């Protein structure tokens, strides 16, 4: 009986989504009626607006379209993606249900009968997925052009023709891992873009030696040698007159460091009517641009990555996972078993190749607990080919034997740089957002395209250290039960990213200060747009 209910749940959800999409696309004038109906809670309608919150005429591709037509197009894109997301969420929900208190024999039968035949992506889900692919292809060129323009603007700021007269911001960061370190540098670059200054990084306290051997320099025309002996500390306060000071230092080495208005999860104002309608998550795309600039590999690293991929026969499509353990398990995150990473991997491959027995399901693994993860994965998933960067792993083992330490060495830096590229170039990535590397990989994937359906987190939602919290707006009232958060339509919900939450459920705080969980279909994400001085003029 339970199996029939679960099957009905999936089919009903997908049929509902498909029927609604057809009705909307065929009868867009019925929008006002839909707003009044109970259906609107499943599909919050995106706003097309200008700075005065009025409807505006936008440009898509090379054609100008009327507000009405553009509004319809944007809603259609949003609804199709939302339908596909709901299919994935139902998949996730039922998979978690099957995993509870189930012996292996019964579980194997159910997974074969239901999870493969019904849940990953049945015919209806495949149709919705094909529509998502069409949307992606249509917006990809414009999104790519926008990204190229942002990269040119960052490069222009970082490479003034006369470094001596250019205003500068010196970034001082604490010693920490590669992902942590670059998220700190990212905060400095955001502040530099916001205040129209060249960013220079003080690498004297960084954990990894040789970082400038691995990644391209952040500036070709300025260096730390160009700085005066005395540098003023910037407290992040824009009200005080720092404009006349040529060089300021932004010190992020302690928790009470300056907190500027240019931070993670703020988006440049000029992008408000562009990226929000081209990308599912503008925050992710913008941070992806920042990380994409900071982590441009030197040519020899790119060559090394291609050599590793050829040796592993790592051709597309392939999936990657990043398993973070060791010191991260001491208070920062719990241990995630291999099955928790592999559930989305199995579903993705099922959706791509079905039951084809002659297809190699290859998974690239990066981990700080590599031997244990590889052994566990191969024992539990014998039909999958798990590969890893064995060359650099041997070097790390040699470091351990010689010095007793393999972490934060030059060899590890090279290995991490190669892992970052291979992970971010994969067709599908699964990782944890409690890990800086997990977040970094996803951000890099979004820097070149909308990777919403190419990555999967298994713990926290995306967040940015020292950045703004994720915020949502309630699209309708919700009266929560025990442990749930109640709110009214229009209310702002501040998300708690430190709490594990599946894609269909969130955990946050309402305007009254109450905390609890809530269904994600009751809210829509809001974004904060800020004037970045280096990006003020229109591209």
């Amino acid at each position: 009986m339970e199996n029939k209910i679960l099957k009905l749940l999936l089919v009903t959800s997908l049929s509902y989504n498909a029927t609604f999409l057809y009705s909307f696309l065929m009868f867009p004038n019925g929008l006002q009626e839909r707003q009044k109906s109970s259906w609107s809670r499943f599909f919050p309608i995106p706003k097309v607006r200008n700075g005065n919150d009025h409807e505006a005429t936008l440009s898509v591709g090379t054609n100008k379209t009327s507000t009405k037509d553009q509004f319809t197009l944007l809603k259609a894109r949003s609804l199709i993606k939302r339908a596909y997301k709901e299919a994935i969420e139902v998949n996730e929900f039922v998979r978690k249900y099957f995993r509870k208190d189930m012996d292996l024999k019964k579980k194997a039968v159910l997974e074969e009968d239901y999870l493969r035949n019904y849940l990953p992506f049945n015919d209806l889900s495949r149709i919705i997925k094909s529509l998502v692919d069409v949307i992606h292809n249509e917006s990809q060129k414009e999104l790519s052009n926008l990204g190229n323009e942002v990269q040119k603007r960052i490069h222009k700021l970082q490479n003034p023709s006369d470094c001596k007269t250019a205003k500068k911001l010196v970034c001082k960061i604490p010693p920490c891992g590669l992902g942590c370190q670059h998220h700190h540098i990212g905060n400095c670059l955001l502040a530099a873009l916001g205040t129209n200054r060249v960013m220079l990084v003080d690498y004297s306290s960084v954990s990894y030696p040789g970082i400038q051997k691995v990644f391209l320099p952040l500036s070709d025309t300025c260096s730390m040698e160009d700085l005066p002996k005395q540098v003023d500390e910037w407290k992040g306060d824009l009200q005080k007159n720092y404009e006349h000071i040529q060089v300021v230092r932004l010190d992020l080495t302690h928790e009470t460091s300056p907190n500027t208005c240019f931070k993670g999860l703020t988006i440049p104002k000029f992008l408000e009517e562009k990226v929000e309608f081209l990308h599912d998550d503008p925050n992710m795309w913008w941070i992806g641009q920042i990380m994409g600039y900071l982590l441009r590999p030197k040519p020899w690293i790119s060559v090394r990555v291609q050599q590793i991929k050829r040796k592993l026969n790592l051709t597309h499509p392939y999936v990657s996972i990043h398993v973070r353990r060791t010191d991260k398990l001491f208070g920062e995150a719990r241990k995630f078993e291999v099955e928790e990473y592999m559930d989305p991997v199995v579903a993705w491959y099922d959706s791509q190749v079905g039951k084809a027995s002659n297809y190699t399901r290859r998974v690239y693994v990066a981990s700080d607990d590599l031997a244990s993860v590889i052994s566990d994965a191969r024992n539990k998933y014998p039909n999958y080919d798990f590969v890893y960067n064995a060359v650099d792993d041997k070097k790390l083992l040699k470091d351990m034997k010689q010095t007793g330490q393999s972490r934060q060495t030059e060899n590890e830096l090279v290995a991490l740089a190669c892992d970052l590229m291979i992970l971010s170039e994969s067709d599908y990535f699964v990782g944890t957002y409690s890990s800086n590397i997990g977040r970094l990989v996803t951000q890099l994937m979004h820097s070149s395209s909308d990777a919403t359906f190419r990555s999967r987190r298994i713990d926290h939602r995306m967040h940015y250290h020292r950045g703004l919290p994720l915020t949502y707006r309630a699209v309708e009232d919700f009266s929560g039960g025990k442990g749930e958060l109640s709110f009214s339509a229009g209310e702002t919900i501040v998300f708690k990213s430190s709490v594990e939450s599946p894609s269909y459920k969130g955990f946050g705080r309402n305007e009254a200060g109450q905390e609890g969980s809530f269904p994600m279909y009751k809210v829509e994400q809001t974004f904060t747009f800020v004037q970045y001085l280096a990006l003020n003029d229109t591209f």
Side-chain angles (χ1 to χ4, degrees):
M1 181 63 181
E2 289 181 342
N3 295 338
K4 291 182 179 179
I5 292 174
L6 292 171
K7 178 182 173 183
L8 180 62
L9 172 64
L10 175 74
V11 174
T12 301
S13 173
L14 291 176
S15 299
Y16 168 83
N17 287 327
T19 301
F20 177 75
L21 283 170
Y22 175 81
S23 300
F24 173 76
L25 295 174
M26 294 301 101
F27 307 103
N29 291 334
L31 173 63
Q32 298 304 323
E33 284 67 28
R34 186 181 77 80
Q35 285 181 299
K36 299 175 183 177
S37 74
S38 59
W39 285 14
S40 64
R41 69 183 186 275
F42 292 97
F43 298 100
I45 303 170
K47 291 183 178 180
V48 181
R49 62 186 186 276
N50 59 21
N52 298 319
D53 208 32
H54 294 277
E55 289 190 1
T57 300
L58 302 176
S59 173
V60 175
T62 58
N63 300 319
K64 287 282 185 177
T65 58
S66 69
T67 300
K68 182 178 179 181
D69 290 342
Q70 178 67 25
F71 194 32
T72 300
L73 174 61
L74 295 174
K75 291 196 300 293
R77 287 180 174 183
S78 176
L79 296 177
I80 291 170
K81 287 186 176 181
R82 188 66 179 265
Y84 187 55
K85 281 182 179 179
E86 286 202 357
I88 294 175
E89 288 169 3
V90 172
N91 185 357
E92 178 182 335
F93 172 78
V94 180
R95 280 180 176 275
K96 287 182 180 293
Y97 176 88
F98 278 141
R99 185 170 293 286
K100 291 180 180 179
D101 303 321
M102 186 177 294
D103 62 75
L104 293 178
K105 184 176 180 180
K106 182 179 179 182
K107 176 189 166 189
V109 172
L110 285 173
E111 284 190 342
E112 177 64 25
D113 188 18
Y114 289 96
L115 297 183
R116 286 177 179 253
N117 292 333
Y118 297 108
L119 279 181
F121 300 97
N122 64 9
D123 289 341
L124 188 54
S125 180
R126 290 179 194 274
I127 292 172
I128 299 175
K129 174 61 167 63
S130 68
L131 292 174
V132 171
D133 290 340
V134 170
I135 292 170
H136 173 80
N137 293 334
E138 286 182 347
S139 61
Q140 177 56 34
K141 183 177 180 180
E142 190 168 352
L143 197 61
S144 179
N145 290 339
L146 191 59
N148 290 338
E149 291 296 339
V150 168
Q151 292 299 311
K152 289 178 182 177
R153 185 55 56 88
I154 296 175
H155 185 269
K156 180 180 178 181
L157 174 70
Q158 287 294 108
N159 293 277
S161 57
D162 185 358
C163 185
K164 291 184 179 180
T165 59
K167 293 179 180 177
K168 306 172 190 70
L169 183 147
V170 180
C171 180
K172 187 171 178 59
I173 60 173
C176 59
L178 184 70
C180 163
Q181 172 179 296
H182 277 81
H183 281 122
H184 280 300
I185 298 175
N187 275 319
C188 288
L189 182 53
L190 289 171
L193 287 166
T195 56
N196 203 24
R197 291 174 177 270
V198 181
M199 181 193 71
L200 297 173
V201 179
D202 179 358
Y203 287 108
S204 61
S205 61
V206 300
S207 304
Y208 288 92
I211 193 166
Q212 291 165 302
K213 298 178 184 178
V214 173
F215 300 108
L216 289 175
L218 302 179
S219 176
D220 295 320
T221 61
C222 290
S223 69
M224 292 291 288
E225 296 175 357
D226 299 315
L227 299 179
K229 293 183 179 180
Q230 295 296 326
V231 177
D232 291 79
E233 295 289 336
W234 183 45
K235 302 302 182 182
D237 187 357
L238 292 180
Q239 301 303 317
K240 294 183 179 179
N241 185 17
Y242 284 91
E243 292 185 6
H244 69 284
I245 301 177
Q246 187 180 21
V247 183
V248 296
R249 178 185 287 109
L250 184 59
D251 187 348
L252 300 179
T253 57
H254 45 82
E255 285 303 317
T256 57
S257 297
N259 193 9
T260 80
C261 61
F262 309 107
K263 58 181 69 177
L265 306 188
T266 63
I267 306 171
K269 184 72 174 177
F270 87 96
L271 290 172
E272 185 170 5
E273 293 182 355
K274 297 177 182 179
V275 69
E276 190 172 1
F277 304 115
L278 292 173
H279 196 287
D280 237 30
D281 189 341
N283 282 324
M284 190 79 81
W285 181 86
W286 170 238
I287 292 300
Q289 298 306 310
I290 298 299
M291 294 303 153
Y293 185 84
L294 297 179
L295 293 165
R296 296 164 300 149
K298 286 200 168 179
W300 74 272
I301 289 289
S302 298
V303 170
R304 187 185 186 92
V305 166
Q306 294 309 312
Q307 292 173 341
I308 293 170
K309 293 175 80 170
R310 282 196 297 271
K311 186 172 183 177
L312 298 176
N313 194 26
L314 202 59
T315 57
H316 294 279
Y318 71 91
V319 172
S320 65
I321 62 175
H322 175 256
V323 182
R324 180 72 163 93
R325 289 180 178 170
T326 62
D327 60 303
K328 179 64 69 171
L329 303 183
F330 296 104
E332 289 189 49
R334 70 174 177 86
K335 180 180 179 180
F336 291 88
E337 300 299 335
V338 167
E339 293 93 328
E340 296 178 86
Y341 292 90
M342 285 300 295
D343 269 355
V345 173
V346 171
W348 188 87
Y349 267 122
D350 283 346
S351 73
Q352 299 298 310
V353 299
K355 295 183 178 181
S357 58
N358 61 341
Y359 187 87
T360 301
R361 298 186 173 209
R362 189 164 285 118
V363 181
Y364 182 83
V365 181
S367 176
D368 54 353
D369 188 21
L370 194 56
S372 174
V373 172
I374 290 290
S375 175
D376 195 19
R378 287 174 175 170
N379 287 334
K380 293 176 178 177
Y381 298 88
N383 296 327
Y384 285 75
D385 181 23
F386 295 94
V387 297
Y388 60 97
N389 181 2
V391 174
D392 286 321
D393 187 55
K394 289 179 180 178
K395 291 183 178 180
L396 297 183
L397 291 175
K398 185 178 179 180
D399 285 345
M400 178 62 78
K401 290 180 180 179
Q402 291 179 345
T403 67
Q405 174 67 35
S406 67
R407 298 292 303 277
Q408 298 182 348
T409 63
E410 189 168 327
N411 282 331
E412 193 205 22
L413 175 61
V414 172
L416 275 174
C418 292
D419 276 343
L420 273 175
M421 290 188 67
I422 296 173
L423 292 169
S424 62
E425 291 172 2
S426 64
D427 296 89
Y428 192 69
F429 167 72
V430 180
T432 55
Y433 285 176
S434 55
S435 162
N436 275 284
I437 293 294
R439 298 200 305 277
L440 201 55
V441 169
T442 308
Q443 290 158 0
L444 289 173
M445 293 177 78
H446 280 273
S447 68
S448 57
S449 67
D450 187 343
T452 302
F453 300 111
R454 286 180 52 214
S455 60
R456 190 72 168 169
R457 61 168 181 90
I458 61 172
D459 61 349
H460 306 163
R461 292 182 185 270
M462 181 58 68
H463 60 281
Y464 199 93
H465 184 56
R466 299 182 190 273
L468 292 178
L470 289 172
T471 56
Y472 293 81
R473 184 182 66 85
V475 296
E476 69 169 53
D477 297 347
F478 177 62
S479 180
K482 184 178 181 181
E484 293 182 321
L485 181 67
S486 297
F487 46 74
S488 303
E491 193 169 348
T492 297
I493 311 298
V494 178
F495 207 90
K496 291 197 68 172
S497 58
S498 60
V499 177
E500 286 184 35
S501 58
S503 56
Y504 52 82
K505 184 171 68 174
F507 189 92
R509 182 179 69 253
N510 63 15
E511 293 177 359
Q514 301 165 327
E515 293 186 347
S517 62
F518 57 89
M520 290 301 294
Y521 72 81
K522 295 277 189 178
V523 300
E524 64 180 356
Q525 190 172 356
T526 59
F527 305 102
T528 301
F529 297 92
V530 176
Q531 291 284 4
Y532 279 73
L533 294 182
L535 303 169
N536 267 353
D537 52 322
T538 305
F539 288 150

